[in-house]
Amino acid sequence: MHRERFYTLSASCPDRSGIVAKVSGFIAEHKGWILETALHSERNDDPNQADRYFMRVEIRADSLPFMLTEFRERFAPIAEELQMDWKITDSAVKKRVVVLVSKQEHCLYDLLARWQSKELDIEIPCVISNHDTFRGFVEWHGIPFHHVPVTPDNKARAYTEVQRIFDEVHGDTMVLARYMQILSPELCAANPGKILNIHHSFLPSFVGAKPYHQAYTRGVKLIGATCHYVTSELDQGPIIEQDVIRIDHSDSVEDMVRYGKDIEKAVLARGLRYHLEDRVLVHGNKTVVFR
């Protein structure tokens, strides 16, 4: 990460010649200083669909003669010509991450430790939980805690309240840190590309309760974790990050649960960092991650 303030332009568009020339030419025309670029062309096997081009460009903020509002206005005609899905963000503006948790503590503890040490340079305006279990721990960190119970009878009201809190604190991202509830389709639809989840294995996976017990019974030799975006289709959202750890016949269920918690923490933290740094570009269900 650069020490100086920079802007990150991330974009995807139908592939064609001249994309890099147009974007870099615009930046050069205004004396912009490019610090880092990442580019990728994705072939599409469907003859009715164009290939897709993905790019991420970091620009030194003080090299440009204008701020982001004017950048967006000036760049918009180029983006329209290229049929580009794009955004530009400012490294000086910390992202506001709302954490959702149930009764498993490991991902919550890890995220707060990374936040407190500035490894994750973010704002956490609040934590939301369907249980009151971690109120004392969260409030000890000086972070507001919201208990929003979820029952079969109140799910619509509960997720309306979650959305209200998220909007009230001006949240940018929701992170499900082992939040053991299925979000409503309305909440997912209102926040596309803003909700991250950590899943307890590679997807597709052992579904339902006690996944590590199922894996143990089946004699698996690898366990893993998947960080992905949440959509209304359960566990089918675009994948951001995955990893595995090797086990063998000598490992007990308790060992596997412990290993699983370790890898879940690491994968969630990496996935969140890639998301916050605008290194994840999504088109449909396809993700390109510039690490």
Side-chain angles (χ1 to χ4, degrees):
M1 182 69 69
H2 313 292
R3 291 181 180 176
E4 63 264 44
R5 180 182 181 186
F6 61 92
Y7 300 142
T8 302
L9 172 66
S10 55
S12 75
C13 61
D15 202 357
R16 48 167 279 188
S17 64
I19 297 170
V20 175
K22 282 187 174 292
V23 173
S24 60
F26 170 84
I27 295 168
E29 177 187 345
H30 296 95
K31 310 301 182 186
W33 187 328
I34 293 177
L35 296 167
E36 179 181 310
T37 61
L39 311 168
H40 176 67
S41 178
E42 183 78 13
R43 295 295 302 272
N44 196 322
D45 294 331
D46 185 346
N48 298 316
Q49 297 290 327
D51 295 343
R52 197 79 183 171
Y53 198 76
F54 299 84
M55 68 188 318
R56 180 182 183 275
V57 183
E58 291 183 3
I59 310 158
R60 208 171 83 180
D62 64 6
S63 69
L64 291 170
F66 41 69
M67 303 297 285
L68 283 192
T69 300
E70 189 171 347
F71 184 104
R72 292 186 180 101
E73 292 174 357
R74 289 173 178 261
F75 187 72
I78 294 174
E80 184 176 359
E81 177 189 347
L82 296 173
Q83 298 176 274
M84 187 175 276
D85 296 327
W86 68 285
K87 66 176 179 178
I88 186 164
T89 57
D90 186 345
S91 67
V93 179
K94 291 186 179 182
K95 305 289 178 61
R96 297 174 64 80
V97 178
V98 173
V99 180
L100 277 68
V101 66
S102 289
K103 297 178 95 172
Q104 296 186 38
E105 74 288 344
H106 55 289
C107 288
L108 172 67
Y109 285 16
D110 184 70
L111 290 175
L112 294 193
R114 294 175 193 266
W115 162 77
Q116 194 167 45
S117 68
K118 305 286 188 200
E119 180 183 337
L120 284 174
D121 193 18
I122 58 176
E123 302 285 355
I124 301 181
C126 67
V127 171
I128 302 172
S129 179
N130 56 323
H131 298 281
D132 215 32
T133 309
F134 300 119
R135 177 183 294 278
F137 176 75
V138 170
E139 292 180 345
W140 180 83
H141 284 80
I143 298 172
F145 181 90
H146 298 277
H147 178 209
V148 181
V150 179
T151 68
D153 299 326
N154 80 339
K155 282 193 173 185
R157 293 193 307 275
Y159 290 126
T160 298
E161 176 66 4
V162 169
Q163 183 69 63
R164 185 196 68 78
I165 295 169
F166 186 69
D167 292 339
E168 184 178 79
V169 301
H170 305 289
D172 296 304
T173 300
M174 284 187 214
V175 175
L176 309 188
R178 300 301 282 149
Y179 182 71
M180 305 304 290
Q181 294 289 327
I182 299 173
L183 301 186
S184 67
E186 294 77 15
L187 186 62
C188 296
N191 301 281
K194 292 184 179 181
I195 309 175
L196 279 69
N197 186 35
I198 186 66
H199 192 84
H200 48 65
S201 65
F202 262 14
L203 294 172
S205 63
F206 295 105
V207 298
K210 297 187 175 181
Y212 292 111
H213 292 72
Q214 294 180 56
Y216 178 78
T217 302
R218 291 286 298 275
V220 302
K221 299 299 181 280
L222 290 171
I223 57 174
T226 300
C227 179
H228 66 96
Y229 288 113
V230 175
T231 65
S232 57
E233 194 174 359
L234 181 62
D235 293 334
Q236 298 298 311
I239 291 170
I240 304 168
E241 177 66 352
Q242 294 182 300
D243 207 349
V244 295
I245 191 168
R246 184 166 293 280
I247 60 172
D248 63 29
H249 59 276
S250 67
D251 290 308
S252 66
V253 171
E254 291 75 20
D255 291 330
M256 292 171 62
V257 171
R258 187 174 71 253
Y259 301 155
K261 287 181 178 181
D262 285 343
I263 201 166
E264 286 171 14
K265 292 185 293 186
V267 169
L268 179 59
R270 286 203 302 270
L272 177 58
R273 180 168 59 82
Y274 296 151
H275 167 80
L276 296 173
E277 294 179 0
D278 298 309
R279 296 183 180 276
V280 186
L281 280 73
V282 180
H283 181 68
N285 210 40
K286 171 68 180 180
T287 53
V288 169
V289 182
F290 294 120
R291 292 178 173 83

